[in-house]
Amino acid sequence: MQHYLNYIDGQWRNAERQITVMNPGTGEPYATIAQAGIEDADQAMAAARRCVNSGALSDVRPAQRTTWMLKAAEAIRAIADDGALVACRENGKSLNDARDEFIEAARYFEYYAGMADKIEGISVPLGKDYVDFTQYVPFGVSVQIVPWNFPVSICARSLAPALAAGNAVVIKSPEISPLAMTLLVRAVEQAGFPQGAVNLLCGKGSEVGSHLVKHVDTNQIVFTGSVPTGQRILKDAAERATPSVMELGGKSAAIALADVDLDTLLASVKVGIFFNAGQVCSAMSRLLVHRSRYDEVKAAVVALAEGLSIGQGEGNPDLTPVVSEGQQQQVLAMIEQARNEGATVLTGGKAPDLSGYFVAPTVIEATADMRIAREEVFGPVLVLMPFDDEDEAVALANGTDFGLVAGVFGEGLSQTLRVANRLRGGQVFINEWFAGGIETPFGGVGLSGFGREKGQEAIYSYVQTRNIGIRLRHG
C-alpha cells in the first residue's frame, strides 16, 4: 500500500501518525498518508511567514510570478493521467472526471498567470498640491481548507490566484480524499516558486484545521465545505477579524417553465444532479416544473435516472459511488426521513447490491416544508415539485436559507431572463446547468457563504487596498 507525505517548507515530510484512505468503489483500503499535527502546522505557518517577510513572492516583478504560474500549469498537465487514477481510486469519481480535474487545475494556473502582472491601482485626483494613488498588496499568509468532493480543482481554484497576487499559502487537505492533491503540489513544486510559498498538510479538521484558522500568522482564510464547519471557522476568525472567503454549499433549484424544451432540460438534469454522484455544492438538487408539463417531465426524469449505468469510476459509468460509507449512510438516512414525512420516492432510494459506497439515482416528490426539500443532501437525490405560476416558482426556488446557484429552462427569452433576475443566488443558469467556467465568478449569498472565487473578480479576494497620499512642497 502506497504511503503519501505532507509538504512543508520545501520538503516532503512523514509523521508519526497516519490516515488510511479508502477506495469508495470497493470499500477497501487504498493507501495511507502522513497525519499532520500541531507541530507540523506551526512549521508550515513559519515557512509561509518567512516567505512573505522575505518578499520573495511580492517584491519580484509580477511577470516573474506569471512565469512560475505557467510552468506550474505545464507540469500539472503532464501528470494529469497519473493523477486521475489516484483521484478515481481515492474519491470514487469517474476516471474521465478525475482527469478533467487536473486539466481544470492547470487552467486555473494559466488563467491567473495572465492576471499576475495586471493587478493595478488607480490615481485619485486631489488637486495640484497632492499625488494620491492606490496599491493592491497581498494579504500575506493564506490558509486554505479544501473539501473532498473536488479536491484538486478546488485547491487550484484558490491556490492559483493567491500565488498570482503574491501570497504564501498553507493548504489543509481533506482527510477522506487527500492523495491526488499531493500530485498537484508536486507539479507546482516544479515551477520554481520560492521556498515556503506552498505548504500542504493532511490532518484532522478539528485539530490542524482549527489551529491554522486561529493562528497568529493567518492573514486570510479560504474555506469550501459544510455550513456548520464554516460557521465554526467564522467564529474563530472573528477573534482576530481575519478576512475570509466562504463557499458553504446550497440547495439549488431549476425552474422548468411551461415552454421548456424537454431534451435540453434532461441533459442538464443528468449532469446537474448525477454528476459526481450528486456531491456538488452547486448541484441541481431541486427541480420545479410548471404543472402543465409536470407529468411529462416526471416520467422522463424517472426514466433518465433508471437508465443510468452504475459502477466503479475506472469504467466511466454515469453514476459512481459516494465518497465514504458515512456519506452513503447520511444520504440514505435523509431519504428514509423523507419517506417518513410523506414524500414519494419515485425511483432509487436505496443502496444497489454492489461493493463500495453506492446510492442508487433517486427522484423524490416532496413538498417545500420537508427536510429533503430544504437541506443539502450531497448525493444523487433530486427533489421534484410542481408550480402553477411564475410567482410561485420564484418563491419556491428562493425558499431556503441557501443562495448559491439557480436555473431557468424555457424557450422565451423575456420570461427566462425575467425569472433569472428574481432568483436568489450568486450564479443563475439559463437553459444549461453549470453554464460558465473558470472565467465566471462563483459564490453565494445567505448560508451559501460570501466572497467570490473564479473569474477576474476572485483575484481581488487575495489582495487588500492600500492608499498613499502625498502632499507636495513648493519651492
Side-chain angles (χ1 to χ4, degrees):
M1 192 180 304
Q2 189 167 348
H3 183 65
Y4 292 76
L5 307 178
N6 295 302
Y7 187 66
I8 303 171
D9 199 13
Q11 297 180 353
W12 291 94
R13 301 187 185 181
N14 207 351
E16 293 183 0
R17 297 176 294 173
Q18 66 182 31
I19 294 172
T20 299
V21 179
M22 307 295 288
N23 182 334
T26 63
E28 298 176 351
Y30 171 58
T32 58
I33 187 168
Q35 181 180 334
I38 299 299
E39 183 179 350
D40 300 303
D42 285 339
Q43 290 175 356
M45 291 298 293
R49 175 56 58 198
R50 284 195 302 272
C51 180
V52 168
N53 291 347
S54 73
L57 270 172
S58 58
D59 291 351
V60 299
R61 195 178 184 98
Q64 176 59 66
R65 295 199 297 273
T66 294
T67 298
W68 289 329
M69 299 281 288
L70 291 174
K71 287 182 178 178
E74 183 179 5
I76 294 167
R77 287 184 183 277
I79 55 96
D81 288 335
D82 292 339
L85 188 58
V86 173
C88 170
R89 290 176 177 173
E90 69 164 333
N91 190 280
K93 63 185 59 194
S94 78
L95 193 59
N96 287 343
D97 291 341
R99 187 179 189 279
D100 286 345
E101 263 204 71
F102 279 89
I103 299 304
E104 185 170 75
R107 279 286 297 124
Y108 277 118
F109 275 85
E110 290 170 347
Y111 183 82
Y112 289 108
M115 292 197 68
D117 58 354
K118 300 174 185 67
I119 308 172
E120 301 169 344
I122 63 169
S123 173
V124 181
L126 295 178
K128 70 181 183 65
D129 293 335
Y130 296 90
V131 173
D132 189 281
F133 59 93
T134 63
Q135 300 171 325
Y136 288 118
V137 296
F139 279 110
V141 177
S142 175
V143 166
Q144 302 183 354
I145 301 175
V146 178
W148 48 256
N149 57 334
F150 297 100
V152 172
S153 63
I154 291 179
C155 177
R157 186 177 80 185
S158 302
L159 176 60
L163 292 172
N167 299 277
V169 183
V170 177
I171 307 160
K172 211 291 283 186
S173 62
E175 305 98 293
I176 292 178
S177 184
L179 308 180
M181 286 177 62
T182 67
L183 277 74
L184 173 70
V185 171
R186 283 191 182 278
V188 173
E189 181 184 25
Q190 298 176 34
F193 285 100
Q195 185 171 332
V198 180
N199 303 269
L200 176 65
L201 303 168
C202 181
K204 297 293 184 180
S206 58
E207 179 187 10
V208 170
S210 178
H211 184 70
L212 291 173
V213 165
K214 298 175 184 177
H215 202 283
V216 66
D217 281 320
T218 297
N219 301 124
Q220 183 212 28
I221 300 164
V222 183
F223 173 75
T224 300
S226 71
V227 170
T229 302
Q231 290 170 328
R232 287 194 296 271
I233 289 173
L234 286 172
K235 288 178 182 178
D236 290 335
E239 294 182 12
R240 304 187 62 83
T242 307
S244 303
V245 176
M246 292 277 142
E247 197 267 275
L248 304 179
K251 189 65 179 177
S252 303
I255 297 174
L257 301 170
D259 62 347
V260 64
D261 179 83
L262 185 59
D263 290 338
T264 298
L265 177 64
L266 291 177
S268 278
V269 169
K270 182 177 180 180
V271 68
I273 190 59
F274 299 123
F275 167 60
N276 204 43
Q279 299 168 123
V280 185
C281 54
S282 53
M284 183 199 291
S285 52
R286 294 181 292 151
L287 177 58
L288 317 177
V289 185
H290 191 275
R291 197 174 297 276
S292 66
R293 301 289 299 278
Y294 184 73
D295 290 340
E296 175 193 6
V297 170
K298 177 170 72 172
V301 168
V302 168
L304 168 67
E306 292 177 346
L308 297 176
S309 60
I310 306 173
Q312 295 183 24
E314 289 176 64
N316 290 311
D318 296 320
L319 190 79
T320 51
V322 295
V323 75
S324 67
E325 184 177 13
Q327 187 66 19
Q328 178 196 45
Q329 294 307 309
Q330 179 177 312
V331 172
L332 293 173
M334 289 192 72
I335 295 171
E336 187 59 29
Q337 182 177 0
R339 283 194 181 98
N340 293 337
E341 291 181 16
T344 301
V345 177
L346 299 174
T347 189
K350 61 183 180 181
D353 188 18
L354 296 168
S355 63
Y357 312 130
F358 291 87
V359 176
T362 301
V363 181
I364 296 178
E365 277 187 311
T367 56
D369 59 326
M370 294 178 181
R371 182 188 176 204
I372 199 77
R374 293 183 290 104
E375 297 183 13
E376 189 171 42
V377 178
F378 229 59
V381 179
L382 177 66
V383 172
L384 205 59
M385 289 187 282
F387 67 86
D388 290 304
D389 57 42
E390 186 177 305
D391 288 342
E392 183 186 7
V394 171
L396 286 170
N398 292 343
T400 74
D401 293 327
F402 296 98
L404 188 55
V405 305
V408 186
F409 290 80
E411 294 298 285
L413 177 60
S414 294
Q415 186 182 21
T416 54
L417 191 55
R418 182 175 64 243
V419 171
N421 282 326
R422 298 178 65 189
L423 293 175
R424 183 170 179 260
Q427 191 171 29
V428 179
F429 310 123
I430 296 180
N431 286 333
E432 183 185 331
W433 203 263
F434 299 136
I438 67 169
E439 304 88 353
T440 51
F442 176 74
V445 298
L447 284 187
S448 290
F450 51 84
R452 292 295 179 265
E453 299 271 32
K454 303 169 64 174
Q456 294 185 34
E457 189 170 339
I459 198 79
Y460 298 102
S461 295
Y462 297 89
V463 292
Q464 49 196 333
T465 304
R466 174 193 292 152
N467 180 263
I468 296 180
I470 305 169
R471 172 66 185 265
L472 301 177
R473 295 179 60 185
H474 297 282

